[in-house]
Amino acid sequence: MEKKLTYEEAMRQIEHIVAKMENDELDIDEMGEQLKKAQQLIKLCKAKLTKTEVEIQKILSEDE
């Protein structure tokens, strides 16, 4: 990834890639490249969600 993306930016990029695939806007060469990019973006999103979940659990457990 070029810069640190926010979750929202990564999701927008994934949605853009999916839309292009659904509309047959990618040729076979671009498709492989875009799928790899989408895979990286999904991994980034999952990591951000996991990190946020851990932080929320920590905050909630401190209140108890």
Side-chain angles (χ1 to χ4, degrees):
M1 305 279 105
E2 359 15 275
K3 63 172 185 136
K4 289 203 175 203
L5 295 174
T6 65
Y7 179 84
E8 290 78 15
E9 291 169 332
M11 284 301 298
R12 273 194 294 277
Q13 287 188 26
I14 292 168
E15 290 167 354
H16 182 72
I17 292 168
V18 170
K20 281 183 153 186
M21 290 175 68
E22 289 177 342
N23 295 323
D24 294 325
E25 295 177 21
L26 298 174
D27 65 31
I28 195 73
D29 296 320
E30 290 177 307
M31 190 175 293
E33 183 180 316
Q34 291 299 303
L35 284 172
K36 286 179 188 176
K37 183 175 180 179
Q39 185 178 31
Q40 292 173 334
L41 291 165
I42 291 167
K43 185 176 178 180
L44 176 104
C45 288
K46 283 183 178 180
K48 287 184 178 285
L49 288 171
T50 300
K51 180 181 176 197
T52 300
E53 181 180 16
V54 168
E55 290 171 354
I56 289 170
Q57 290 300 324
K58 183 178 176 183
I59 290 167
L60 292 175
S61 69
E62 290 173 357
D63 280 350
E64 294 176 359

